[in-house]
Amino acid sequence: MIGIMCAMVEELEPILEQVEVKDKIHHGNNTYYLASFDNKDIVLAYSKIGKVNAAITATAMIEKFGVEKLLFSGVAGAIDEDLKIGDLIVATEVCQHDIDLTVFGYKHGFIPESQIFFDCDSNLINIAEHVADKLGIKLKKGIIASGDQFVHSKEKKEWIKEVFGASAIEMEGGAVGCVTWNYQVPFFMLRAISDTAEEGAGVDFDAFLEESSKVSAKFLLEMLKEI
Ligand SMILES: CCCCCCN(CO)Cc1c[nH]c2c(N)ncnc12
């Protein structure tokens, strides 16, 4: 079973309308759509925004639906200057920039018995690169940082870049990476840029959420054909 996760309904809609939904299951205040696409069984859901909501959905996908690969599609704020609105980025690793146990000598993003960075699945990243070549589109790869805040300041964005080497910023991937690492389930995340995470990012986000969600959804569906 393949799991497809988004944070917001706007990110899931463009995927859901392209698959054959067989059943809808309500569980833990989430709706899980059982569907098939290209003769593959998939379960889809949006978690709601933020790391806790994302962790709930990722865990349910694994524990209740037996998902063996978890793919995330959505939008993100750009940290790297070469990422423009509408561009795609694939996560090589994810982290949580709002974890801070530095007073005990730990690095930012580190929790004892856990990790700062969680690797995304190299096989799925390879498939993404193959699909990008086939479609003739530019696909950036990089670290994506998550935190429970919408980043809209150049200072904060630059700090996250400095401390984590992140190329993009959002609010769920680091949590999903932590869940999939604990359960040893392959994880892949694709995001399309909706804003630059600086002053005024909220306005850009509202303006480009729908369009960028479609960019990410379209690519993810192409990937599904190759999995
Ligand atoms: C009510 C509106 C909720 C916005 C949710 C934003 N998502 C969270 O995953 C992605 C995202 C896009 N741009 C971002 C930014 N600049 N900072 C954090 N997250 C993001």
Side-chain angles (χ1 to χ4, degrees):
M1 176 76 87
I2 295 169
I4 294 180
M5 248 186 94
C6 301
M8 301 174 73
V9 64
E10 292 88 343
E11 295 167 325
L12 186 67
E13 267 305 306
I15 302 174
L16 215 46
E17 65 195 25
Q18 297 297 323
V19 302
E20 194 188 341
V21 176
K22 299 279 185 38
D23 199 2
K24 260 169 64 168
I25 295 175
H26 294 281
H27 175 73
N29 196 29
N30 252 163
T31 302
Y32 294 85
Y33 298 89
L34 295 177
S36 75
F37 177 80
D38 194 38
N39 293 323
K40 289 157 188 130
D41 290 331
I42 55 178
V43 54
L44 308 98
Y46 73 90
S47 60
K48 303 184 285 300
I49 294 155
K51 293 192 291 160
V52 174
N53 288 321
I56 290 169
T57 302
T59 303
M61 283 222 172
I62 296 166
E63 291 272 22
K64 184 170 176 63
F65 297 97
V67 151
E68 293 134 321
K69 291 184 176 73
L70 186 48
L71 289 74
F72 195 108
S73 173
V75 300
I79 292 183
D80 280 357
E81 298 306 316
D82 64 350
L83 279 173
K84 301 289 172 261
I85 289 175
D87 285 355
L88 283 167
I89 177 166
V90 166
T92 52
E93 299 170 272
V94 294
C95 60
Q96 298 173 71
H97 65 75
D98 55 355
I99 290 175
D100 182 346
L101 296 177
T102 53
V103 74
F104 303 105
Y106 297 116
K107 285 187 177 175
H108 283 282
F110 182 76
I111 286 179
E113 300 181 78
S114 188
Q115 303 183 168
I116 300 175
F117 297 101
F118 301 101
D119 291 333
C120 294
D121 181 69
S122 52
N123 296 326
L124 291 169
I125 291 170
N126 290 340
I127 291 172
E129 288 178 320
H130 169 74
V131 170
D133 289 347
K134 194 179 78 172
L135 300 177
I137 46 178
K138 178 172 65 85
L139 192 67
K140 182 156 172 92
K141 291 187 293 183
I143 294 169
I144 298 183
S146 311
D148 281 321
Q149 53 207 240
F150 186 86
V151 174
H152 58 106
S153 97
K154 189 159 180 56
E155 185 189 1
K156 180 84 183 175
K157 161 180 165 172
E158 291 306 321
W159 180 83
I160 293 168
K161 181 173 186 171
E162 175 68 30
V163 172
F164 295 94
S167 296
I169 178 86
E170 33 86 313
M171 299 172 68
E172 296 82 23
V176 180
C178 183
V179 169
T180 53
W181 172 73
N182 279 287
Y183 282 91
Q184 288 298 293
V185 168
F187 171 50
F188 173 85
M189 181 164 72
L190 176 72
R191 295 267 184 167
I193 299 301
S194 54
D195 58 276
T196 60
E198 296 183 8
E199 287 69 12
V203 174
D204 277 346
F205 175 81
D206 285 338
F208 294 100
L209 167 63
E210 190 177 344
E211 188 184 324
S212 293
S213 294
K214 285 176 183 166
V215 170
S216 184
K218 191 168 173 291
F219 191 94
L220 192 94
L221 286 161
E222 284 304 317
M223 267 191 75
L224 271 181
K225 295 174 187 170
E226 311 283 338
I227 291 178

